[in-house]
Amino acid sequence: MQMSIFRGAFAAVFCLAATAAGAQESNNRVAAHTDWSVFEAGDPAQCWSVSAPKEVVNTREGRPVEVNRSATLLFVSYIPSSSVAGQVSFTGGYPFRPDSTVTLDVGGTKFELFTEGEMAWSASDADDAKIITAMKRGSEAVLTGISSRGTQTQDTFSLFGFTAAVEEAEKRCSS
């Protein structure tokens, strides 16, 4: 459990910075591969591939609802100085229900992501590797979570360009 707490706290800090960078289309964007972008920052070196959902469905008690969410993004991060190599994380744009999980479904293969605040991430480096392999083979990733207010969200991400983006991010930050 201690590793999960570290992974989540680190991912939250990193991804919030990445979200701000992506929203501003800053100079840190170094490449675009179809539906995925690659960002790079220095001191310490950080690289990440990121995408926004193509489709968003929000429901409460089985009925569609309108909700206000901040940036909703799926990341794969590389930070050599912190031994982060291919960490999968997701920011849902709202606080997740405490002690809940997010389901990541890639072509029928499902993975569980743990949540803390607005972030979700896998439990281990081995899980990250399995998720990345599935995403390289898939065409879309569907993430389903529950907000602290009980709204179910389903975000569908295209995986077109994923392989090129994640491999470029990895190459730019290889240690």
Side-chain angles (χ1 to χ4, degrees):
M1 184 64 172
Q2 193 67 284
M3 180 61 169
S4 294
I5 292 169
F6 171 76
R7 288 173 62 82
F10 186 79
V13 170
F14 174 75
C15 289
L16 289 175
T19 300
Q24 296 171 9
E25 290 296 320
S26 72
N27 294 338
N28 294 0
R29 183 175 173 189
V30 293
H33 297 281
T34 313
D35 294 325
W36 285 77
S37 294
V38 178
F39 289 80
E40 183 175 14
D43 202 20
Q46 304 173 27
C47 303
W48 61 97
S49 54
V50 62
S51 186
K54 292 292 186 178
E55 181 182 3
V56 174
V57 177
N58 305 305
T59 59
R60 192 173 297 127
E61 297 175 8
R63 286 179 256 145
V65 294
E66 292 293 321
V67 297
N68 291 324
R69 294 170 72 185
S70 59
T72 305
L73 301 166
L74 182 57
F75 295 89
V76 178
S77 307
Y78 297 85
I79 308 169
S81 65
S82 297
S83 300
V84 173
Q87 183 180 68
V88 177
S89 60
F90 169 66
T91 179
Y94 60 81
F96 289 105
R97 178 180 284 164
D99 301 317
S100 69
T101 59
V102 169
T103 302
L104 188 158
D105 184 337
V106 181
T109 302
K110 295 184 179 181
F111 304 93
E112 186 175 58
L113 305 180
F114 299 91
T115 64
E116 184 175 320
E118 292 189 11
M119 295 298 305
W121 64 97
S122 71
S124 68
D125 294 342
D127 288 347
D128 286 330
K130 290 175 188 174
I131 292 168
I132 290 170
T133 297
M135 290 173 69
K136 285 181 175 181
R137 295 178 181 156
S139 61
E140 68 179 24
V142 180
L143 288 102
T144 304
I146 302 288
S147 78
S148 60
R149 295 181 177 178
T151 302
Q152 178 177 304
T153 60
Q154 188 174 65
D155 302 301
T156 302
F157 292 81
S158 165
L159 296 176
F160 294 118
F162 173 79
T163 299
V166 79
E167 288 176 356
E168 181 164 342
E170 180 179 25
K171 182 180 175 183
R172 287 178 174 274
C173 275
S174 59
S175 45

